[in-house]
Coordinates of all heavy atoms in Angstrom, one line a residue:
M417 N 59.3 99.2 84.1 CA 59.9 100.3 83.2 C 60.7 99.6 82.1 O 61.6 98.9 82.3 CB 60.8 101.1 84.1 CG 61.4 102.3 83.4 SD 60.2 103.6 83.0 CE 60.7 104.8 84.2
I418 N 60.4 100.0 80.8 CA 61.3 99.5 79.8 C 62.1 100.7 79.2 O 61.7 101.8 79.3 CB 60.5 98.8 78.6 CG1 59.6 99.7 77.9 CG2 59.8 97.6 79.1 CD1 59.0 99.1 76.6
D419 N 63.2 100.3 78.7 CA 64.2 101.3 78.3 C 64.3 101.3 76.8 O 64.6 100.3 76.2 CB 65.5 100.8 78.9 CG 66.4 102.0 79.3 OD1 65.8 102.9 79.9 OD2 67.6 101.9 79.1
I420 N 64.0 102.4 76.2 CA 64.1 102.5 74.7 C 65.2 103.6 74.4 O 65.2 104.7 74.9 CB 62.8 103.0 74.1 CG1 61.7 102.0 74.4 CG2 62.9 103.1 72.6 CD1 60.3 102.3 73.8
T421 N 66.1 103.2 73.5 CA 67.1 104.1 73.0 C 67.0 104.3 71.5 O 66.7 103.3 70.8 CB 68.5 103.7 73.4 OG1 68.9 102.5 72.7 CG2 68.7 103.5 74.9
V422 N 67.2 105.5 71.0 CA 67.2 105.7 69.6 C 68.6 106.2 69.2 O 69.1 107.1 69.9 CB 66.1 106.8 69.2 CG1 66.2 107.1 67.7 CG2 64.7 106.4 69.6
C423 N 69.2 105.6 68.3 CA 70.5 106.0 67.8 C 70.5 107.3 67.2 O 69.7 107.6 66.3 CB 71.1 104.9 66.9 SG 72.7 105.5 66.2
I424 N 71.3 108.2 67.6 CA 71.4 109.5 67.0 C 72.8 109.7 66.4 O 73.2 110.8 66.2 CB 71.1 110.7 68.0 CG1 72.0 110.5 69.3 CG2 69.6 110.7 68.4 CD1 72.0 111.7 70.2
G425 N 73.4 108.6 66.1 CA 74.7 108.6 65.3 C 74.5 109.2 63.9 O 73.3 109.3 63.5
S426 N 75.5 109.5 63.2 CA 75.3 110.2 61.9 C 74.6 109.5 60.9 O 73.7 110.0 60.2 CB 76.7 110.7 61.4 OG 77.6 109.6 61.4
T427 N 74.8 108.2 60.8 CA 74.1 107.4 59.7 C 72.6 107.4 60.0 O 71.7 107.6 59.2 CB 74.7 106.0 59.6 OG1 76.1 106.1 59.4 CG2 74.1 105.3 58.4
C428 N 72.3 107.1 61.3 CA 70.9 107.0 61.7 C 70.2 108.4 61.6 O 69.0 108.5 61.3 CB 70.7 106.4 63.1 SG 71.1 104.6 63.0
H429 N 71.0 109.4 61.9 CA 70.5 110.8 61.8 C 70.0 111.1 60.4 O 68.9 111.5 60.2 CB 71.5 111.8 62.2 CG 71.1 113.2 62.1 ND1 70.3 113.8 63.0 CD2 71.3 114.1 61.1 CE1 70.0 115.0 62.6 NE2 70.7 115.2 61.5
V430 N 70.8 110.7 59.4 CA 70.5 110.9 58.0 C 69.2 110.1 57.6 O 68.4 110.5 56.8 CB 71.7 110.5 57.1 CG1 71.3 110.5 55.6 CG2 72.8 111.4 57.3
K431 N 69.1 109.0 58.3 CA 67.9 108.1 57.9 C 66.6 108.5 58.7 O 65.6 107.8 58.6 CB 68.2 106.7 58.2 CG 69.3 106.1 57.3 CD 69.6 104.6 57.6 CE 70.5 104.1 56.6 NZ 70.8 102.6 56.9
G432 N 66.7 109.5 59.5 CA 65.5 110.1 60.2 C 65.4 109.8 61.7 O 64.3 109.7 62.2
S433 N 66.5 109.6 62.4 CA 66.4 109.3 63.8 C 65.7 110.4 64.6 O 65.0 110.1 65.6 CB 67.8 109.0 64.4 OG 68.6 110.1 64.3
K434 N 65.8 111.6 64.2 CA 65.2 112.7 64.9 C 63.6 112.5 64.8 O 62.9 112.7 65.8 CB 65.6 114.0 64.3 CG 65.4 115.2 65.2 CD 66.1 116.4 64.8 CE 65.5 117.6 65.6 NZ 65.1 118.7 64.8
Q435 N 63.1 112.2 63.6 CA 61.7 112.0 63.5 C 61.2 110.8 64.3 O 60.2 110.8 64.9 CB 61.3 111.7 62.0 CG 61.4 112.9 61.1 CD 62.7 112.9 60.3 OE1 63.8 113.0 60.9 NE2 62.6 112.8 59.0
V436 N 62.1 109.7 64.3 CA 61.7 108.5 65.0 C 61.6 108.8 66.5 O 60.7 108.5 67.2 CB 62.7 107.4 64.8 CG1 62.6 106.2 65.7 CG2 62.7 106.9 63.3
L437 N 62.6 109.6 67.0 CA 62.6 110.0 68.4 C 61.4 110.8 68.8 O 60.7 110.6 69.8 CB 63.9 110.7 68.7 CG 64.3 111.0 70.2 CD1 64.4 109.7 70.9 CD2 65.6 111.7 70.2
E438 N 61.1 111.8 67.9 CA 59.9 112.7 68.2 C 58.6 111.9 68.1 O 57.7 112.1 69.0 CB 59.8 113.8 67.1 CG 60.8 114.9 67.2 CD 60.7 115.6 68.6 OE1 59.6 115.9 68.9 OE2 61.7 115.8 69.2
Q439 N 58.5 111.0 67.2 CA 57.3 110.2 67.1 C 57.1 109.3 68.2 O 56.0 109.1 68.8 CB 57.3 109.4 65.7 CG 57.0 110.3 64.5 CD 57.0 109.5 63.2 OE1 56.4 108.5 63.1 NE2 57.8 109.9 62.3
L440 N 58.2 108.7 68.7 CA 58.1 107.8 69.9 C 57.7 108.6 71.1 O 56.9 108.2 71.9 CB 59.4 107.1 70.1 CG 59.8 105.9 69.2 CD1 61.2 105.4 69.4 CD2 58.8 104.8 69.3
K441 N 58.3 109.8 71.2 CA 57.9 110.7 72.3 C 56.4 111.0 72.3 O 55.8 110.9 73.4 CB 58.7 112.0 72.2 CG 59.0 112.6 73.5 CD 59.7 114.0 73.3 CE 61.2 113.9 73.0 NZ 61.8 115.2 72.8
N442 N 55.9 111.3 71.2 CA 54.5 111.6 71.0 C 53.6 110.4 71.4 O 52.6 110.5 72.1 CB 54.1 112.0 69.6 CG 54.6 113.4 69.3 OD1 54.9 114.2 70.3 ND2 54.8 113.8 68.1
L443 N 54.0 109.2 70.9 CA 53.2 108.0 71.1 C 53.2 107.6 72.6 O 52.2 107.2 73.1 CB 53.8 106.8 70.3 CG 53.5 106.9 68.8 CD1 54.4 106.0 68.0 CD2 52.0 106.6 68.5
I444 N 54.4 107.8 73.2 CA 54.5 107.5 74.7 C 53.5 108.4 75.4 O 52.8 108.0 76.3 CB 55.9 107.7 75.2 CG1 56.8 106.5 74.6 CG2 56.0 107.7 76.7 CD1 58.3 106.7 74.7
S445 N 53.5 109.7 75.1 CA 52.7 110.6 75.8 C 51.2 110.4 75.5 O 50.3 110.4 76.3 CB 53.1 112.1 75.4 OG 52.1 112.9 75.1
L446 N 50.8 110.1 74.2 CA 49.5 109.8 73.8 C 48.9 108.6 74.5 O 47.7 108.5 74.9 CB 49.4 109.5 72.3 CG 49.3 110.7 71.4 CD1 49.3 110.2 69.9 CD2 47.9 111.4 71.6
N447 N 49.8 107.6 74.8 CA 49.4 106.3 75.4 C 49.6 106.4 77.0 O 49.5 105.4 77.6 CB 50.1 105.2 74.8 CG 49.6 104.8 73.5 OD1 48.7 104.1 73.3 ND2 50.3 105.3 72.4
R448 N 49.9 107.6 77.4 CA 50.2 107.8 78.9 C 51.2 106.8 79.5 O 50.9 106.2 80.5 CB 48.9 107.8 79.6 CG 47.9 108.8 79.2 CD 46.6 108.7 79.9 NE 45.5 109.3 79.2 CZ 45.2 110.6 79.2 NH1 46.0 111.4 79.9 NH2 44.2 111.1 78.5
L449 N 52.3 106.7 78.8 CA 53.3 105.7 79.3 C 54.5 106.3 79.9 O 55.5 105.6 80.1 CB 53.7 104.8 78.1 CG 52.6 103.9 77.4 CD1 53.1 103.2 76.3 CD2 52.0 103.0 78.4
A450 N 54.4 107.6 80.2 CA 55.6 108.3 80.7 C 56.3 107.6 81.9 O 57.5 107.6 81.9 CB 55.2 109.7 81.0
G451 N 55.5 107.0 82.7 CA 56.1 106.4 83.9 C 56.6 105.0 83.6 O 57.1 104.3 84.5
K452 N 56.3 104.5 82.4 CA 56.6 103.1 82.1 C 57.7 102.9 81.1 O 58.2 101.8 81.0 CB 55.3 102.4 81.6 CG 54.2 102.3 82.7 CD 53.1 101.5 82.2 CE 52.1 101.3 83.3 NZ 50.7 101.1 82.8
V453 N 57.9 103.9 80.4 CA 58.9 103.8 79.3 C 60.0 105.0 79.5 O 59.6 106.1 79.7 CB 58.3 104.0 77.9 CG1 59.3 103.9 76.8 CG2 57.2 102.9 77.7
N454 N 61.2 104.6 79.5 CA 62.3 105.5 79.6 C 62.9 105.7 78.2 O 63.4 104.7 77.6 CB 63.3 105.0 80.6 CG 64.4 105.9 80.9 OD1 64.3 107.1 80.6 ND2 65.5 105.4 81.4
L455 N 62.7 106.8 77.5 CA 63.2 107.0 76.2 C 64.4 108.0 76.1 O 64.3 109.1 76.7 CB 62.1 107.7 75.3 CG 62.3 108.0 73.9 CD1 62.5 106.8 73.0 CD2 61.2 108.9 73.3
H456 N 65.4 107.6 75.5 CA 66.6 108.5 75.3 C 67.4 108.2 74.1 O 67.2 107.2 73.4 CB 67.4 108.5 76.6 CG 67.8 107.2 77.1 ND1 69.0 106.6 76.9 CD2 67.1 106.3 77.9 CE1 69.0 105.4 77.5 NE2 67.9 105.2 78.1
G457 N 68.3 109.1 73.7 CA 69.1 108.9 72.5 C 70.4 108.3 72.9 O 70.8 108.2 74.1
T458 N 71.0 107.7 71.9 CA 72.3 107.0 72.2 C 73.2 107.2 71.0 O 72.7 107.5 69.9 CB 72.1 105.5 72.5 OG1 73.4 105.0 72.9 CG2 71.6 104.7 71.3
F459 N 74.5 107.0 71.1 CA 75.4 107.0 70.0 C 75.4 105.7 69.2 O 74.7 104.8 69.6 CB 76.8 107.4 70.5 CG 76.8 108.8 71.0 CD1 77.0 109.1 72.3 CD2 76.5 109.9 70.2 CE1 77.0 110.4 72.8 CE2 76.5 111.2 70.6 CZ 76.7 111.4 72.0
C460 N 76.2 105.7 68.1 CA 76.1 104.6 67.2 C 76.1 103.2 67.9 O 76.8 102.9 68.8 CB 77.3 104.6 66.3 SG 77.4 103.3 65.1
L461 N 75.1 102.4 67.4 CA 74.9 101.1 68.0 C 75.6 100.0 67.1 O 75.4 98.8 67.4 CB 73.4 100.8 68.1 CG 72.7 101.6 69.2 CD1 71.2 101.6 68.9 CD2 73.0 101.2 70.6
G462 N 76.3 100.4 66.1 CA 77.0 99.4 65.2 C 76.0 98.7 64.3 O 76.3 97.6 63.8
N463 N 74.9 99.3 64.1 CA 73.8 98.7 63.2 C 73.4 99.7 62.1 O 72.3 99.7 61.7 CB 72.6 98.3 64.1 CG 71.5 97.6 63.3 OD1 71.7 96.6 62.6 ND2 70.3 98.1 63.5
C464 N 74.4 100.5 61.7 CA 74.1 101.6 60.8 C 73.4 101.2 59.5 O 72.5 101.9 59.1 CB 75.4 102.3 60.4 SG 76.5 102.6 61.8
Q465 N 73.8 100.1 58.9 CA 73.2 99.6 57.7 C 71.7 99.5 57.8 O 71.0 99.7 56.8 CB 73.8 98.2 57.3 CG 75.2 98.2 57.0 CD 75.6 98.5 55.6 OE1 74.7 98.8 54.8 NE2 76.8 98.4 55.2
Q466 N 71.3 99.0 58.9 CA 69.9 98.7 59.2 C 69.1 99.9 59.9 O 68.0 99.7 60.3 CB 69.7 97.5 60.0 CG 69.5 96.2 59.2 CD 70.6 95.8 58.4 OE1 70.6 96.1 57.2 NE2 71.7 95.2 59.0
G467 N 69.8 101.0 60.0 CA 69.2 102.1 60.8 C 67.9 102.6 60.3 O 67.6 102.3 59.1
V468 N 67.1 103.3 61.0 CA 67.4 103.8 62.3 C 67.4 102.7 63.4 O 66.5 102.0 63.5 CB 66.4 104.9 62.7 CG1 66.6 105.5 64.1 CG2 66.4 106.1 61.6
S469 N 68.5 102.7 64.1 CA 68.6 101.7 65.2 C 67.9 102.1 66.5 O 68.2 103.2 66.9 CB 70.0 101.4 65.5 OG 70.7 101.0 64.3
V470 N 67.0 101.2 67.0 CA 66.3 101.5 68.2 C 66.5 100.3 69.1 O 66.4 99.2 68.6 CB 64.8 101.8 67.9 CG1 64.0 102.0 69.2 CG2 64.6 103.0 67.0
T471 N 66.7 100.5 70.4 CA 66.8 99.3 71.2 C 65.7 99.3 72.2 O 65.3 100.4 72.7 CB 68.1 99.2 72.0 OG1 68.2 100.2 73.0 CG2 69.3 99.2 71.1
I472 N 65.2 98.1 72.6 CA 64.3 98.0 73.7 C 65.0 97.1 74.7 O 65.3 95.9 74.3 CB 62.9 97.4 73.3 CG1 62.3 98.3 72.3 CG2 62.0 97.2 74.5 CD1 60.9 97.7 71.8
D473 N 65.3 97.6 75.8 CA 66.0 96.8 76.9 C 67.2 96.1 76.2 O 67.5 94.9 76.5 CB 65.1 95.8 77.5 CG 64.1 96.5 78.4 OD1 64.4 97.7 78.8 OD2 63.1 95.9 78.8
G474 N 67.9 96.8 75.4 CA 69.2 96.3 74.9 C 69.1 95.5 73.6 O 70.1 95.2 72.9
E475 N 67.9 95.1 73.2 CA 67.7 94.4 71.9 C 67.5 95.4 70.8 O 66.7 96.3 70.9 CB 66.4 93.5 72.0 CG 66.4 92.5 70.9 CD 65.2 91.5 71.1 OE1 64.8 91.3 72.2 OE2 64.8 91.0 70.0
V476 N 68.3 95.2 69.7 CA 68.3 96.2 68.6 C 67.2 95.9 67.5 O 67.1 94.8 67.1 CB 69.7 96.2 67.9 CG1 69.7 97.3 66.8 CG2 70.8 96.5 68.9
Y477 N 66.5 96.9 67.2 CA 65.5 96.9 66.1 C 65.8 97.9 65.1 O 66.5 98.9 65.4 CB 64.1 97.2 66.7 CG 63.6 96.2 67.7 CD1 64.0 96.4 69.1 CD2 62.8 95.1 67.4 CE1 63.5 95.5 70.0 CE2 62.3 94.2 68.3 CZ 62.7 94.4 69.6 OH 62.3 93.5 70.6
S478 N 65.3 97.7 63.8 CA 65.5 98.7 62.8 C 64.1 99.4 62.5 O 63.2 98.7 62.2 CB 66.0 98.0 61.5 OG 67.2 97.4 61.8
V479 N 64.1 100.7 62.7 CA 62.9 101.4 62.6 C 63.1 102.5 61.6 O 64.2 103.1 61.4 CB 62.5 102.0 63.9 CG1 61.1 102.7 63.9 CG2 62.4 100.9 65.0
H480 N 62.0 102.9 60.8 CA 62.1 103.9 59.9 C 61.0 104.9 60.3 O 60.0 104.5 60.9 CB 61.8 103.3 58.5 CG 61.9 104.3 57.4 ND1 60.8 105.0 56.9 CD2 62.9 104.7 56.6 CE1 61.2 105.8 55.9 NE2 62.5 105.6 55.7
P481 N 61.1 106.2 60.0 CA 60.0 107.1 60.3 C 58.6 106.6 59.9 O 57.6 106.9 60.6 CB 60.4 108.4 59.6 CG 61.9 108.4 59.6 CD 62.2 106.9 59.4
D482 N 58.6 105.9 58.8 CA 57.3 105.4 58.3 C 56.8 104.2 59.0 O 55.6 103.8 58.9 CB 57.4 105.0 56.8 CG 57.6 106.1 55.9 OD1 57.4 107.3 56.4 OD2 58.0 105.9 54.8
T483 N 57.7 103.5 59.8 CA 57.2 102.3 60.5 C 57.2 102.4 62.0 O 57.0 101.4 62.7 CB 58.2 101.1 60.1 OG1 59.5 101.4 60.6 CG2 58.3 100.8 58.6
V484 N 57.3 103.7 62.5 CA 57.3 103.9 63.9 C 56.0 103.4 64.6 O 56.1 102.7 65.6 CB 57.5 105.4 64.3 CG1 57.4 105.6 65.8 CG2 58.9 105.8 63.8
N485 N 54.9 103.7 64.0 CA 53.6 103.3 64.6 C 53.5 101.8 64.7 O 53.1 101.3 65.8 CB 52.4 103.8 63.7 CG 52.1 105.3 64.0 OD1 52.0 105.7 65.2 ND2 52.0 106.1 63.0
E486 N 53.9 101.1 63.7 CA 53.8 99.7 63.7 C 54.8 99.1 64.7 O 54.4 98.2 65.5 CB 54.3 99.2 62.3 CG 54.0 97.8 61.9 CD 54.7 97.5 60.6 OE1 54.6 98.3 59.7 OE2 55.2 96.4 60.5
F487 N 56.0 99.7 64.8 CA 57.0 99.2 65.7 C 56.4 99.5 67.2 O 56.6 98.6 68.0 CB 58.3 100.0 65.5 CG 59.3 100.0 66.7 CD1 60.1 98.8 66.8 CD2 59.4 101.0 67.6 CE1 61.0 98.7 67.9 CE2 60.3 100.9 68.6 CZ 61.1 99.8 68.8
F488 N 55.9 100.6 67.4 CA 55.4 101.0 68.7 C 54.3 100.0 69.2 O 54.3 99.5 70.3 CB 54.8 102.4 68.7 CG 54.5 102.9 70.1 CD1 55.5 103.4 70.9 CD2 53.2 102.9 70.6 CE1 55.2 103.9 72.2 CE2 52.9 103.3 71.9 CZ 54.0 103.8 72.6
T489 N 53.3 99.7 68.3 CA 52.2 98.8 68.6 C 52.7 97.4 68.8 O 52.4 96.7 69.8 CB 51.2 98.8 67.5 OG1 50.8 100.1 67.2 CG2 50.0 98.0 67.9
K490 N 53.6 96.9 67.9 CA 54.0 95.5 68.0 C 55.0 95.3 69.1 O 54.9 94.3 69.8 CB 54.6 95.2 66.6 CG 54.8 93.8 66.3 CD 55.1 93.5 64.9 CE 55.9 92.2 64.7 NZ 57.0 92.3 63.9
E491 N 56.0 96.1 69.2 CA 57.1 95.9 70.1 C 57.0 96.6 71.5 O 57.3 96.0 72.5 CB 58.5 96.2 69.5 CG 58.7 95.6 68.1 CD 58.8 94.1 68.1 OE1 59.0 93.5 69.2 OE2 58.8 93.5 67.0
V492 N 56.5 97.8 71.4 CA 56.5 98.6 72.7 C 55.3 98.2 73.5 O 55.4 97.8 74.7 CB 56.7 100.1 72.5 CG1 56.7 100.8 73.8 CG2 57.9 100.4 71.7
L493 N 54.1 98.4 72.9 CA 52.9 98.2 73.7 C 52.8 96.8 74.2 O 52.4 96.5 75.3 CB 51.6 98.5 72.8 CG 51.4 100.0 72.6 CD1 50.1 100.2 71.8 CD2 51.3 100.8 73.9
S494 N 53.2 95.8 73.4 CA 53.1 94.4 73.8 C 54.0 94.2 75.0 O 53.6 93.4 75.9 CB 53.5 93.5 72.7 OG 54.9 93.7 72.4
K495 N 55.1 94.9 75.1 CA 56.0 94.7 76.3 C 55.5 95.4 77.5 O 55.6 94.9 78.6 CB 57.4 95.1 75.9 CG 58.1 94.2 75.0 CD 59.5 94.6 74.7 CE 60.2 93.5 73.8 NZ 59.6 93.3 72.5
V496 N 55.0 96.6 77.3 CA 54.5 97.4 78.4 C 53.3 96.7 79.1 O 53.1 96.8 80.3 CB 54.1 98.8 77.9 CG1 53.3 99.6 79.0 CG2 55.3 99.6 77.5
R497 N 52.5 96.0 78.3 CA 51.2 95.4 78.8 C 51.4 94.0 79.4 O 50.5 93.4 79.8 CB 50.2 95.4 77.7 CG 49.7 96.8 77.4 CD 48.7 96.8 76.3 NE 48.2 98.2 76.1 CZ 47.8 98.6 74.9 NH1 47.7 97.8 73.9 NH2 47.4 99.9 74.8
K498 N 52.6 93.6 79.3 CA 52.9 92.2 79.8 C 52.6 92.1 81.3 O 52.9 93.1 82.0 CB 54.4 91.8 79.6 CG 54.5 90.9 78.4 CD 55.9 90.4 78.3 CE 56.2 89.9 76.9 NZ 57.6 89.8 76.6
Ligands
LIG291 S1 74.7 105.5 63.4 FE1 73.1 104.4 64.2 S2 73.8 102.4 64.4 FE2 75.5 103.5 63.6

C-alpha cells in the first residue's frame, strides 16, 4: 500500500489542488488501485512555492493539474508495480 497525500493548504488550493486530488482519485479508480493506494488530503507541507505539493510515502513532489497524468504514470504506477 502506498500513501499519497495532496496538500489542500491555501496556496496549493489556489494552484489547483482540488483538481489534482480529483484527477488522482479518477486515475486510481480507472487503474483499479483502490486497495493499493491510500489517497488523502493534508495541510500545508511547507513547499508552497512549488505547489501543488503531493507526497508519496512522505517524499514531496510538485504537481500541476496539467501534469497529473504524467506524475501518475511516472511516480505512482512505477511504485505500485514494484
Ligand atoms: S499550501 Fe501546499 S505546501 Fe503550503
Side-chain angles (χ1 to χ4, degrees):
M417 181 75 106
I418 65 169
D419 215 39
I420 302 180
T421 64
V422 178
C423 175
I424 50 167
S426 52
T427 309
C428 289
H429 176 78
V430 169
K431 292 181 176 182
S433 62
K434 201 167 168 228
Q435 289 99 298
V436 170
L437 192 58
E438 284 301 315
Q439 287 180 49
L440 284 174
K441 209 185 279 177
N442 288 340
L443 287 164
I444 288 166
S445 131
L446 275 174
N447 288 275
R448 300 177 201 280
L449 298 177
K452 294 186 175 152
V453 179
N454 184 18
L455 176 70
H456 48 100
T458 184
F459 294 112
C460 181
L461 291 162
N463 182 49
C464 314
Q465 298 271 5
Q466 264 66 260
V468 175
S469 306
V470 177
T471 68
I472 301 178
D473 289 341
E475 193 174 336
V476 182
Y477 296 85
S478 299
V479 184
H480 183 267
D482 293 343
T483 62
V484 175
N485 278 313
E486 193 187 321
F487 165 78
F488 190 82
T489 307
K490 198 168 152 223
E491 307 295 347
V492 181
L493 288 182
S494 65
K495 288 183 175 61
V496 168
R497 288 177 181 156
K498 256 186 201 166

